[in-house]
Amino acid sequence: MERLQNFINGEFSSSRSSNTLDNFNPATGKVYGQLPASNEVDVDDAVGAAQAVFSKWSTTPTSERSRVLMKIAELIEVRLQEFAEAESMDTGKPLGLARKVDIPRAVANFRFYAGAAEHFFSEAHIMEQRAINYTLRQPLGVVGCISPWNLPLYLLTWKIAPAIAAGNCVVAKPSELTPKTAALLAELLATAGVPAGVINIVHGEGESAGAAIVKHPGVKAVSFTGGTETGARISEVAAPQFKKLSLELGGKNPNIIFADCDFDKMLETTLRSSFINQGQVCLCGSRIFVEQPIYERFRDALVERTRELKVGDPMDAQTHQGAVISQQHMEKILTCINQAKEEGASLLTGGERVILKGRCEKGWFVQPTILEGLAADAKTNQREIFGPVVSLMPFKDEQQVVRCANESAYGLAATVWTQNLSRAHRMAAELEAGILWINCWMLRDLRTPFGGMKHSGLGREGGFEALRFFTEAKNVCIDLTT
Ligand code: NAD
């Protein structure tokens, strides 16, 4: 049985309470390890360690911080297979996906911010003969980074990398469901040259360890990715303390398909944007709007391709669809499908739990599922399911589909498939989403602002946006007349 530990002040330790949580492998349904159930005492230790090293790290030359980030990237890359296996085991995602997407992206996050830190700049505003203003962008101090289970190392490092690149020290909490790759990351920090206390990893549940990070007066900012309800709870605690908050929350993204699209490319990408990672990517397009003339052709083609997806052991190279994260989440997904049927949806394919043979017989697998026949305002089309479930809706024209797509509490991402350039630009301007993809999906340039509007979040990650978030802007005005 594997026992993970916290990483505080450069050392591995258990929670001071000695309490632990079980770590499950979703593909087998079995416990394979334990992690510390940390509490506010552990968080206080981590904040203290981070505070103690802050003046050293924040005054370390940017070029040296950048070198350290590059080294972290290199060390993860050397152990790519080990990291990918750990990610697959914790999440139930296919090993190939973790190898191709999750871990390479964590590497890219450190490399990107190693470079971005050196290119970051601040502004100067010249008042002709009268005065000069320049902006200092100084690190905040100790910051909290809290991440979810769907892309564990990918999303955690998307926060840690810019935070330390900008000169902050971090108290990070990975999801209690997927702690393993964060623990592996901790193992290589000393070799990379990260001073003790600059990155602290505290494992445990959201309500205890996570909440303690948000509440701690020594934590100056919180970068959070997770569910909308959790984001609201975090805001309630952080806002009265006027902490900086970056919130990347839930989504219910529209995928809008016009009849003039490149059908083959659209179909291939839609299969991915519907079901990759068992539909557990915040950017997945779960509401698929299809222009009437191609609705039936599209529906039949998507159903056929979906039926070919192999649900299986994540370690098997032939598997397209692995397990969902937990038994509870599997039950939630199945309940949502049943409620969709009660609302009047027709089930085109899927809808059931999959029971595999052998090692995965107790795993939490769900068939990729396609529904049709529901109105845009039906409950199924409004709430985030966060599983392998999509709902198809035909539409008549541009105005109608923009109205339906925007009829959502969320506003994270939207995809539009059309060859009509003017329409693409019109749609991009009118759709209420922070991220728009035209004729593509999940094509990521790490320099671009990333985040959602409405209930999908607050603020943007990525590029210099994250470096701005993790720094305080201070304007200095110099009078030139005296
Ligand atoms: P979650 O909100 O349950 O948990 C996310 C993290 O917050 C975990 O580490 C958890 O322990 C912690 N947490 C829980 N309660 C807390 C509290 N009161 N205070 C502080 N921390 C707390 O989310 P999840 O189930 O892990 O992830 C799925 C959700 O994440 C989905 O809604 C999905 O859309 C969203 N998500 C959003 C993005 C994005 O970029 N917008 C990316 C990935 C996932």
Side-chain angles (χ1 to χ4, degrees), residues 147-149 173 176 206 210 224-227 230 248-250 282 384 450:
S147 56
W149 48 260
K173 195 200 83 64
E176 59 275 34
F224 169 79
T225 300
T230 314
E248 298 296 338
L249 310 176
C282 56
E384 185 185 45
F450 180 93

Side-chain angles (χ1 to χ4, degrees), residues 330-451:
M330 177 184 71
E331 281 161 9
K332 176 200 151 180
I333 294 166
L334 295 172
T335 302
C336 288
I337 295 170
N338 283 332
Q339 287 174 348
K341 288 194 270 184
E342 282 161 24
E343 274 193 299
S346 309
L347 190 63
L348 298 175
T349 187
E352 302 286 338
R353 177 179 184 178
V354 179
I355 306 281
L356 298 173
K357 292 206 173 69
R359 159 187 120 86
C360 295
E361 65 183 358
K362 296 215 160 58
W364 304 311
F365 296 85
V366 179
Q367 289 176 326
T369 300
I370 305 178
L371 304 164
E372 75 168 352
L374 291 177
D377 62 357
K379 196 170 171 200
T380 303
N381 287 325
Q382 291 295 314
R383 73 162 171 203
E384 185 185 45
I385 299 174
F386 213 56
V389 182
V390 295
S391 167
L392 309 189
M393 286 164 276
F395 70 85
K396 199 165 73 282
D397 58 35
E398 203 177 308
Q399 288 75 18
Q400 184 207 0
V401 77
V402 167
R403 205 173 48 248
C404 292
N406 287 344
E407 201 173 21
S408 167
Y410 297 106
L412 185 55
T415 306
V416 179
W417 293 94
T418 180
Q419 300 288 344
N420 179 330
L421 190 61
S422 310
R423 175 157 66 198
H425 287 299
R426 277 197 304 275
M427 299 288 288
E430 286 171 19
L431 287 167
E432 293 170 358
I435 301 159
L436 265 295
W437 275 298
I438 311 290
N439 299 326
C440 60
W441 179 74
M442 220 167 153
L443 185 55
R444 294 281 293 117
D445 179 329
L446 302 188
R447 293 170 299 182
T448 59
F450 180 93

Side-chain angles (χ1 to χ4, degrees), residues 21-261:
L21 301 168
D22 286 337
N23 192 17
F24 287 85
N25 178 344
T28 61
K30 291 190 185 137
V31 175
Y32 80 99
Q34 247 116 38
L35 60 141
S38 307
N39 57 26
E40 48 192 34
V41 182
D42 304 303
V43 168
D44 194 50
D45 288 346
V47 174
Q51 282 171 329
V53 74
F54 174 65
S55 74
K56 176 178 166 191
W57 182 246
S58 59
T59 53
T60 298
T62 306
S63 57
E64 172 59 15
R65 290 204 299 262
S66 166
R67 199 196 58 73
V68 169
L69 268 86
M70 280 291 187
K71 188 72 186 165
I72 301 174
E74 196 184 298
L75 294 173
I76 299 173
E77 211 163 35
V78 169
R79 292 168 66 177
L80 177 105
Q81 180 67 14
E82 189 187 351
F83 271 87
E85 282 171 11
E87 206 70 297
S88 170
M89 203 136 104
D90 262 2
T91 56
K93 70 178 67 196
L95 176 61
L97 186 65
R99 272 187 63 90
K100 209 169 111 203
V101 176
D102 291 73
I103 309 306
R105 175 55 194 275
V107 170
N109 290 341
F110 281 110
R111 287 225 168 99
F112 176 81
Y113 278 106
E118 295 214 276
H119 293 273
F120 193 39
F121 57 90
S122 63
E123 309 81 5
H125 298 91
I126 319 296
M127 301 166 73
E128 280 122 30
Q129 323 290 311
R130 180 76 181 85
I132 294 175
N133 295 271
Y134 66 90
T135 309
L136 287 175
R137 292 194 177 271
Q138 297 172 315
L140 303 172
V142 181
V143 298
C145 298
I146 302 176
S147 56
W149 48 260
N150 64 328
L151 300 164
L153 192 68
Y154 171 140
L155 290 175
L156 190 64
T157 55
W158 186 228
K159 302 178 181 306
I160 292 177
I164 64 166
N168 301 281
C169 298
V170 166
V171 178
K173 195 200 83 64
S175 168
E176 59 275 34
L177 302 178
T178 54
K180 180 102 197 265
T181 45
L184 287 178
L185 174 69
E187 283 178 16
L188 48 79
L189 295 178
T191 314
V194 181
V198 171
I199 300 176
N200 302 277
I201 295 178
V202 180
H203 295 282
E205 288 177 317
E207 297 298 334
S208 45
I213 294 173
V214 177
K215 198 168 70 184
H216 199 294
V219 172
K220 302 300 175 201
V222 176
S223 177
F224 169 79
T225 300
T228 295
E229 281 175 23
T230 314
R233 282 210 298 284
I234 287 176
S235 305
E236 280 170 21
V237 178
Q241 295 187 55
F242 305 105
K243 291 187 181 187
K244 279 182 112 174
L245 268 186
S246 168
L247 301 173
E248 298 296 338
L249 310 176
K252 188 78 181 176
N253 308 306
N255 177 6
I256 300 169
I257 299 167
F258 284 93
D260 69 350
C261 70

